[in-house]
Amino acid sequence: MPPIRKCSRGNCSLPAVATMTYGYREATAVIGPLSPVPQPGTFDLCADHARSVTVPVGWQMVRLVTDFAPAPPSADDLTALAEAIRAASEKEVPAPKPAVRDIRRRSDLPAAADLDFSPVRPRLHIVPDTGAKED
């Protein structure tokens, strides 16, 4: 069974209902019914994008005036859906793994007495003020 074709526009997951083809030599874009199979150089569009798509300035748009309706599901679509559900239900669910807590303390570290945990302090130098004038 062929998968349901989606709209070619970015971030659109609606089903395709129309196909847009470009004629570069004639500077024409044609939107018609969904082609039976995907073709290279064509774009499958959902109903919203088929109505709202535009072409570059100077190009001509030929649009089939119709209500683009999605194709009804075929017997193959329903059979594939039933088989997918059956296959998913037959899978064995793995048992959950218990959570593991790993807590480390200074006493747990190797040779904790050898480690220096004191914070490192920056070296401070006091510079006397030699150029100050007293009034």
Side-chain angles (χ1 to χ4, degrees):
M1 179 202 91
I4 295 175
R5 288 162 46 194
K6 302 288 183 192
C7 182
S8 298
R9 299 297 296 256
N11 294 333
C12 183
S13 60
L14 296 174
V17 296
T19 299
M20 181 169 64
T21 308
Y22 288 106
Y24 290 98
R25 199 175 274 168
E26 299 84 19
T28 304
V30 179
I31 297 182
L34 187 64
S35 64
V37 291
Q39 297 291 325
T42 63
F43 296 94
D44 296 334
L45 301 172
C46 66
D48 293 337
H49 286 120
R51 282 189 224 97
S52 65
V53 70
T54 59
V55 294
V57 175
W59 281 54
Q60 181 181 7
M61 171 69 79
V62 178
R63 200 185 300 254
L64 175 66
V65 180
T66 183
D67 290 331
F68 295 108
S74 67
D76 291 340
D77 295 339
L78 296 176
T79 303
L81 179 61
E83 288 174 6
I85 292 172
R86 187 177 310 114
S89 67
E90 291 173 354
K91 288 184 179 178
E92 192 171 315
V93 179
K97 295 180 182 177
V100 177
R101 291 183 69 185
D102 187 20
I103 300 173
R104 294 183 184 244
R105 296 179 179 90
R106 286 188 195 177
S107 61
D108 295 339
L109 295 174
D114 297 338
L115 298 176
D116 182 20
F117 287 104
S118 61
V120 177
R121 302 179 111 190
R123 293 184 180 214
L124 300 175
H125 298 284
I126 299 175
V127 179
D129 187 11
T130 57
K133 295 182 183 178
E134 293 185 21
D135 288 335

